[in-house]
Amino acid sequence: MTTALVTGASRGIGQAIAVQLAERGVRVALHYRQNRPAAEAVLARLPGSGHQLFAADLGDAGAAEPLMRAVQAAFGQLDILVNNAGVYHLHPPEQSSYADWQRLWSETIAVNLTAPANLCFLAAQAMGRGGRIVNISSRGAFRGEPEAPAYGASKAGLNALTQSLAKALAPGGIACYCLAPGWVETEMATPHLDGAGGAAILAQHPLGRVATAEEIARVAVFCALDAPEAMTGSIIDINGASYLRT
């Protein structure tokens, strides 16, 4: 049975990806940081059997290896890795103290870039020959994030990591894809969408709405299960034409 590890699976995009993978018959290792009740609620929603929960604080550089060992011990294999877990911290350079700048930079890079890099490395070893890696990036990697520079930098790094690994791992049959959503209707985005800047956010979107987590998940699952190998290294925009790059 195909097995996938989805990080940040207790809510939002990660939850939607886990559900849709399970609907396709994939056995899912659901990672969460500390909200076990939320993770258990997602686990209860998954069709099929054999799914399991795995807790790890990916802000800790040493957490990736024991997480991967636990998944391998439980399932004996890994076919798909979805790096979805991420954080978004506001730290505009003109309004932040140097201490806050350093702290939030370090926390963001640790979760958004270092952890995915470590998990990609470990997953490639676990997969042997053949497998899929799907990284969740952001349009912020291209347009810039002036109020959250570490977030933009971490996602740009994730794009570059995906493309580097696509070249490095292709001879072993491992394909790597990267998704770059814009605003998505999730718990993390709700305060911004419902806040004072919500109208301005919506004004960026020709569709008159932001993407749903289910829409992002559909593309992630396509990459994990159906995308041709020739697409490896692709960065796929899913932002409702709110930001178009050439």
Side-chain angles (χ1 to χ4, degrees), residues 97-154:
S97 68
Y98 186 45
D100 283 344
W101 172 271
Q102 291 179 299
R103 175 177 59 84
L104 295 174
W105 180 275
S106 296
E107 290 179 8
T108 302
I109 297 299
V111 176
N112 292 7
L113 183 56
T114 302
N118 290 341
L119 287 171
C120 284
F121 176 87
L122 296 166
Q125 293 185 326
M127 289 173 182
R129 181 167 185 86
R132 298 289 174 103
I133 294 173
V134 183
N135 293 323
I136 308 299
S137 178
S138 168
R139 70 173 188 173
F142 303 105
R143 66 187 285 272
E145 293 289 341
E147 294 190 340
Y151 182 82
S154 68

Side-chain angles (χ1 to χ4, degrees), residues 31-34 54-64 67 87 107 110-111 115:
H31 159 264
Y32 67 100
R33 184 170 70 92
Q34 63 181 14
F54 298 86
D57 179 1
L58 295 180
D60 177 355
L67 171 61
V87 295
E107 290 179 8
V111 176

